[in-house]
Amino acid sequence: MISMDITVWITAILYICFLSQLIRRNYAYLFSEYLLVGLGAGIAFVMAVETLLGTSKVQLVVNQNYFFLVALLLGVGLFGRLIKGYGWVGRWPIAIMVGVGMAIATRGTIEAEILHQIYPTITGLIKPGDIFGTFNGILIFIGMISSIFYFLYFTKYEGTKGRYLGKLAYMGRCFMMLFFGASIGQMYVWRATYLIGVFRHLLGTWLGL
Amino acid sequence: MKWNSKYSYLLLVAAVSIPIIFPLKLKFASTVYVREFYNEVESAPEGSRVLINNHIGASGWETDFKPNMKVIVGHLIQRHLKIYVFCPSSTAPVLWDRDIRPMLEDAGYVYGTDWFLTGFYPGGETALGAFTDDPQGLVLSDYYQNDVSEMPLWKEVVTMDDFELAIHTVVAERGMRQLYSAHRMNVLMMADSGELSDSLTYYTAGMLTGIVCGIRGSAEYEILLNKPGEGVRNTDALSLTIALIPIMTILGNIIHFVDKFRGKQIK
């Protein structure tokens, strides 16, 4: 049975507008695209303002933390980029945001993405009583070493030694190609998931099939 | 031979639509990382505090995350765990309020006593970093504009050590840097379908305890909980759509070689 819910109808019509792009680019598609971007920006703005008002009220009125005004002023300074001649005002908050963002991201990077990746690769090589685990560990180890060799540029792959090193680097390239292939496959699954959501809405929620 | 891309679209539409209209009920096995996610929640003591870093946007919500979130929150409710939701995404609190809050209320969960929802905190990883360093200093009001200083549930959380589990969503790297490396939290990952290989890197290294990823993950979790739902229903469509890849690859190669033998230029 077809849904009588107006929001379901609006969603279904917008989905059809989006899908119409598969035939050719048209105004219905453009309308839905612009609507999505506009709504996204609108929701983000409203949500940010609501959180800001709630936090400001507590910080300034209840806690009387006037240092918070500095953060507010820096936030307002971002809009300086929109006024001719005051673009420089916007550079300060952006510089602070980039600096803080980099610092916060960096604090865990060395451990999470370097040390803690290398350590289990080396220690997890042999898993007693687990043949597949051991095979997996050795495969990951070979993949890591050979992939690193692919990025070593200090040696020329010449002569007998060079030929073997070259083959190792080629093996690393193969491992990376496998990873990229898996990533592309996953990207396909990801997009397919979105499509399933669209058709489940159109066929199930909207048309009631 | 000319292959119009619209034929590919038609095949894709058929692969998605047929299992939705006529469910195939294909069998599937559960993966070890989903079982570990389940076991971790199952073994958490009653009344434990669970942090959900809800970084989910609107685009991936309906098919990818909503079934995941519903089945996992259902399990948290079943285990009587306290739920704290932090939202560094603008749409995350809105979607939670629309789709998950009714579920919590139906289960008798009381806001402020059993679960807690923050508003939107811009800044992505910076916001998450600030939250993990000083949750009481950052979150002063909730999504519903309440002053949280007198809220009993919120007063229980001073540092990240007060959480027994952390469920991280979307980009795995951020969770690993801010939750695992900085605070050594027990992190579980709720990933979208495109993030499995990235998340597995951290799972293999022992930094993630479990992963629930996309439609397949939610379907497996629903089977483990013995409550088949949206995830299981969507798996048929996903399986058939994935089966289309080798079919299209073979078809593309046939067209390529037919053209080659005929000596024509490939179009």
Side-chain angles (χ1 to χ4, degrees):
Chain A
M1 198 178 150
I2 295 180
S3 171
M4 290 295 145
D5 187 342
I6 184 76
T7 57
V8 171
W9 274 80
I10 292 170
T11 313
I13 290 165
L14 287 172
Y15 275 152
I16 292 167
C17 290
F18 265 110
L19 290 172
S20 68
Q21 197 218 7
L22 296 177
I23 299 164
R24 73 170 67 86
R25 207 171 169 81
N26 58 68
Y27 285 113
Y29 168 74
L30 289 174
F31 168 74
S32 53
E33 188 187 31
Y34 294 157
L35 192 69
L36 179 78
V37 174
L39 277 173
I43 287 172
F45 180 76
V46 171
M47 293 298 296
V49 167
E50 276 188 357
T51 308
L52 184 69
L53 288 176
T55 309
S56 312
K57 192 173 75 184
V58 180
Q59 285 279 23
L60 298 173
V61 181
V62 182
N63 294 352
Q64 297 191 329
N65 177 12
Y66 298 110
F67 185 68
F68 189 72
L69 282 172
V70 178
L72 281 179
L73 283 173
L74 282 168
V76 173
L78 277 172
F79 294 99
R81 294 174 68 83
L82 303 175
I83 305 162
K84 206 174 176 184
Y86 289 90
W88 61 272
V89 181
R91 286 186 201 142
W92 287 94
I94 286 174
I96 291 169
M97 281 197 294
V98 171
V100 171
M102 288 282 282
I104 286 179
T106 309
R107 72 173 177 175
T109 302
I110 292 169
E111 194 190 351
E113 285 167 38
I114 302 172
L115 297 179
H116 219 94
Q117 295 291 336
I118 296 170
Y119 180 72
T121 306
I122 295 163
T123 55
L125 210 56
I126 309 291
K127 289 177 178 143
D130 183 1
I131 299 166
F132 289 111
T134 305
F135 175 75
N136 216 12
I138 293 169
L139 198 68
I140 290 172
F141 183 77
I142 295 169
M144 184 191 83
I145 296 293
S146 55
S147 301
I148 287 171
F149 256 89
Y150 181 78
F151 292 101
L152 291 182
Y153 303 121
F154 61 77
T155 178
K156 279 186 180 176
Y157 298 130
E158 288 171 349
T160 315
K161 198 174 115 190
R163 204 169 63 231
Y164 288 118
L165 286 177
K167 280 184 179 166
L168 194 64
Y170 181 75
M171 195 194 284
R173 189 173 147 187
C174 293
F175 271 107
M176 283 188 284
M177 296 302 269
L178 282 171
F179 175 78
F180 298 146
S183 297
I184 289 169
Q186 276 200 332
M187 201 53 74
Y188 176 84
V189 173
W190 191 21
R191 302 299 179 207
T193 301
Y194 283 19
L195 197 66
I196 291 166
V198 169
F199 277 88
R200 185 158 280 286
H201 184 89
L202 290 175
L203 300 172
T205 317
W206 186 44
L207 296 176
L209 293 174
Chain B
M1 193 185 286
K2 196 174 178 182
W3 177 263
N4 192 329
S5 60
K6 289 186 179 72
Y7 301 146
S8 309
Y9 299 149
L10 274 175
L11 278 172
L12 199 60
V13 168
V16 174
S17 308
I18 291 167
I20 290 174
I21 301 167
F22 309 106
L24 306 171
K25 294 180 180 168
L26 297 169
K27 298 260 183 242
F28 54 89
S30 68
T31 38
V32 65
Y33 36 87
V34 176
R35 282 201 302 273
E36 286 188 6
F37 194 119
Y38 173 87
N39 291 338
E40 207 60 35
V41 175
E42 194 64 24
S43 60
E46 197 174 305
S48 297
R49 287 174 285 271
V50 180
L51 169 69
I52 299 178
N53 177 37
N54 188 1
H55 204 287
I56 301 165
S59 58
W61 176 252
E62 213 51 43
T63 337
D64 239 354
F65 284 110
K66 194 167 90 178
N68 278 342
M69 195 63 95
K70 276 191 163 178
V71 71
I72 289 165
V73 169
H75 195 193
L76 299 179
I77 292 170
Q78 195 178 304
R79 297 282 312 130
H80 303 291
L81 306 180
K82 293 175 181 174
I83 304 166
Y84 295 77
V85 190
F86 176 67
C87 304
S89 154
S90 61
T91 43
V94 183
L95 295 168
W96 178 280
D97 187 60
R98 192 193 70 178
D99 294 329
I100 309 296
R101 184 174 57 89
M103 198 179 147
L104 290 159
E105 286 174 352
D106 289 347
Y109 261 50
V110 178
Y111 184 73
T113 310
D114 301 309
W115 69 283
F116 177 81
L117 176 67
T118 73
F120 163 48
Y121 283 85
E125 188 171 348
T126 313
L128 179 61
F131 177 81
T132 56
D133 284 344
D134 182 13
Q136 294 284 341
L138 182 75
V139 180
L140 300 169
S141 67
D142 64 2
Y143 173 64
Y144 305 104
Q145 299 294 311
N146 300 312
D147 179 359
V148 295
S149 58
E150 295 305 316
M151 202 172 275
L153 192 68
W154 187 240
K155 279 164 124 180
E156 293 174 15
V157 176
V158 180
T159 66
M160 290 299 108
D161 294 336
D162 297 317
F163 292 109
E164 274 74 15
L165 286 176
I167 298 173
H168 178 65
T169 58
V170 195
V171 187
E173 290 90 334
R174 292 177 187 165
M176 292 300 93
R177 289 193 288 252
Q178 304 309 326
L179 301 172
Y180 181 81
S181 288
H183 297 280
R184 278 289 179 274
M185 294 180 83
N186 185 4
V187 188
L188 302 165
M189 180 78 194
M190 191 195 294
D192 60 42
S193 308
E195 270 199 301
L196 184 62
S197 55
D198 284 349
S199 306
L200 277 175
T201 316
Y202 298 102
Y203 172 78
T204 318
M207 297 156 79
L208 280 173
T209 316
I211 307 168
V212 169
C213 176
I215 287 178
R216 173 72 191 263
S218 57
E220 288 178 32
Y221 211 99
E222 284 168 5
I223 296 295
L224 286 169
L225 266 182
N226 207 14
K227 287 178 184 168
E230 271 179 74
V232 172
R233 285 200 296 274
N234 290 337
T235 309
D236 282 347
L238 187 67
S239 300
L240 217 64
T241 315
I242 292 169
L244 205 62
I245 302 176
I247 294 169
M248 297 293 279
T249 310
I250 293 165
L251 205 65
N253 275 283
I254 290 169
I255 293 167
H256 172 79
F257 284 111
V258 166
D259 278 345
K260 205 174 176 182
F261 284 125
R262 282 182 181 169
K264 285 183 181 175
Q265 200 178 356
I266 302 159
K267 288 181 182 175

